[in-house]
Amino acid sequence: MSYFELMLITGELVNVEIKPERRLAEIDIQHKLGCISMQMQRLDMSFLVLPDTVIRAEPRLSALRWIFHQSPRIHPTTESCRMALLKVGDVFPTSIKNLAIRLNEYGVNPFSMLMSGMLHCSLSTPVTPETFVNPIEELDDAWFYIAKEYGF
């Protein structure tokens, strides 16, 4: 299905392969992924295979889609987001709606901040304007858990 590198805030790279769950049972796929895993171990690289059902789990998938579609096509700079967070830091925890109102005067939005990892919210329930968000604490990779059981 797809392969990507996930960089955690600690700088660690995790190589993730996402495969349809039905294909993971195929002998040739198991062999291929086993060979890749052994090579990654020799190179001292993290490698993880996730079934597509992990990514497609609801309500997480719908929440991520909603956040993505609410986000502007051109994101504010990281620095402008950081400065805005410093100015509104006393409001947390707060709803996405309330934060959007507070951030508007600084030209930034909570959706870009969620996507960039500066804010986090729960994806275990549907995300709405009333969903509470918090700023990310230093060395925290948890703004969106893709696979919480794996720590990211």
Side-chain angles (χ1 to χ4, degrees):
M1 184 173 186
S2 62
Y3 168 85
F4 62 94
E5 282 186 341
L6 177 65
M7 181 179 282
L8 305 181
I9 203 161
T10 60
E12 178 188 1
L13 283 177
V14 178
N15 298 282
V16 180
E17 177 83 24
I18 300 171
K19 288 281 187 206
E21 192 162 21
R22 61 178 165 64
R23 299 235 23 236
L24 289 174
E26 296 174 14
I27 301 295
D28 60 325
I29 297 296
Q30 289 177 5
H31 175 74
K32 175 184 165 187
L33 292 173
C35 291
I36 293 169
S37 181
M38 289 188 304
Q39 179 64 17
M40 293 292 200
Q41 283 178 347
R42 282 191 289 271
L43 298 172
D44 198 29
M45 297 173 73
S46 297
F47 179 68
L48 179 65
V49 178
L50 294 176
D52 62 340
T53 54
V54 170
I55 299 298
R56 297 178 195 279
E58 291 294 348
R60 177 179 36 231
L61 181 60
S62 294
L64 291 171
R65 283 184 176 148
W66 185 79
I67 290 166
F68 175 77
H69 288 294
Q70 300 304 311
S71 182
R73 297 296 170 235
I74 299 174
H75 295 280
T77 66
T78 300
E79 189 57 29
S80 63
C81 290
R82 282 190 185 132
M83 295 304 293
L85 270 180
L86 288 174
K87 293 179 181 180
V88 301
D90 62 330
V91 302
F92 294 103
T94 190
S95 70
I96 292 173
K97 179 181 176 181
N98 290 336
L99 186 58
I101 293 166
R102 294 284 305 267
L103 292 173
N104 189 49
E105 70 180 279
Y106 304 108
V108 298
N109 63 83
F111 304 104
S112 294
M113 292 175 151
L114 282 163
M115 290 180 61
S116 68
M118 295 179 157
L119 297 175
H120 69 93
C121 67
S122 172
L123 300 177
S124 61
T125 59
V127 176
T128 70
E130 304 309 320
T131 298
F132 276 79
V133 293
N134 278 296
I136 293 293
E137 301 298 322
E138 195 170 329
L139 297 180
D140 186 358
D141 291 303
W143 71 100
F144 295 139
Y145 275 116
I146 295 171
K148 193 169 185 173
E149 61 273 23
Y150 297 104
F152 61 83

